[in-house]
Amino acid sequence: MKSEKNLSAAFCAVTGAASIVILTLLDQYTKILALSGLKGQDSVVLIKGVLELKYLENRGIAFGMFQGKIPFFVILCIIFFGTVVYAFIRIPKKRYYLPLMLIGYILTAGALGNFIDRVFRGFVVDFIYFSLIDFPIFNLADIYVVVSGVLLVLFVCFKYKEEEFVFFNPKHKG
């Protein structure tokens, strides 16, 4: 790997925190709109036969699995957030790793958005429905998690090499 310009740790922290806060607030705002405008109402057709806004209270995780296991999800999220903090601390603050950091910010915002719902509402507000393929109803946080998850896999498989992740080893200095 060629020499890269270092990024300021403060820049990374501020950018990361701001990104996570903005994306999480956008997710929560859309869920508040769904609660106030869609709950108890018929679905709103945006594109007939393709896309609808349809209110759903999801008490599980992806595709409604593990219904009612809120304490389990909270524990998983806390472990995830701890892992993310560890990764953000350890990752070299170099331009080369910026895509990984950005993906991490988006993934964290998605997890945080649904975590907030589970803790404060007891369920996740879902409202986006692709009727064309009868896909499960989802929300912005779900989009953040899926898109960043796919990007993470692609970057790890095609951009970064295994030896470029040595910084995750606790014994690694540098």
Side-chain angles (χ1 to χ4, degrees), residues 137-169:
I137 302 170
F138 57 97
N139 59 48
L140 282 185
D142 296 336
I143 294 170
Y144 300 161
V145 169
V146 170
V147 170
S148 61
V150 168
L151 288 173
L152 181 62
V153 168
L154 291 173
F155 274 81
V156 168
C157 289
F158 298 108
K159 178 177 173 68
Y160 300 104
K161 297 173 186 65
E162 186 175 340
E163 60 270 11
E164 293 171 331
F165 290 99
V166 70
F167 58 85
F168 279 121
N169 183 340

Side-chain angles (χ1 to χ4, degrees), residues 15-53:
T15 302
S19 300
I20 292 166
V21 167
I22 290 167
L23 291 172
T24 302
L25 288 173
L26 181 61
D27 169 68
Q28 290 299 302
Y29 178 68
T30 60
K31 290 173 179 174
I32 289 168
L33 291 175
L35 277 163
S36 65
L38 296 172
K39 186 175 182 175
Q41 305 295 319
D42 290 334
S43 63
V44 175
V45 176
L46 299 176
I47 304 172
K48 187 175 179 163
V50 178
L51 182 62
E52 300 176 24
L53 298 178

Side-chain angles (χ1 to χ4, degrees), residues 116-132:
I116 290 168
D117 279 14
R118 286 187 181 99
V119 169
F120 294 102
R121 293 188 180 104
F123 56 88
V124 174
V125 175
D126 288 333
F127 58 92
I128 303 169
Y129 175 56
F130 278 113
S131 55
L132 178 67

Side-chain angles (χ1 to χ4, degrees), residues 27-129:
D27 169 68
Q28 290 299 302
Y29 178 68
T30 60
K31 290 173 179 174
I32 289 168
L33 291 175
L35 277 163
S36 65
L38 296 172
K39 186 175 182 175
Q41 305 295 319
D42 290 334
S43 63
V44 175
V45 176
L46 299 176
I47 304 172
K48 187 175 179 163
V50 178
L51 182 62
E52 300 176 24
L53 298 178
K54 186 174 187 175
Y55 182 82
L56 175 74
E57 294 178 359
N58 184 353
R59 298 176 190 281
I61 57 171
F63 311 113
M65 297 184 303
F66 303 107
Q67 292 288 317
K69 307 283 188 218
I70 300 296
F72 173 71
F73 300 138
V74 169
I75 291 168
L76 277 180
C77 281
I78 291 169
I79 292 169
F80 170 78
F81 294 136
T83 303
V84 166
V85 168
Y86 176 78
F88 286 152
I89 290 169
R90 299 290 300 180
I91 195 166
K93 308 308 182 262
K94 296 182 182 289
R95 204 175 282 276
Y96 182 75
Y97 291 102
L98 189 58
L100 278 183
M101 289 186 270
L102 294 173
I103 289 167
Y105 303 154
I106 297 167
L107 183 61
T108 301
L112 183 58
N114 285 340
F115 177 79
I116 290 168
D117 279 14
R118 286 187 181 99
V119 169
F120 294 102
R121 293 188 180 104
F123 56 88
V124 174
V125 175
D126 288 333
F127 58 92
I128 303 169
Y129 175 56

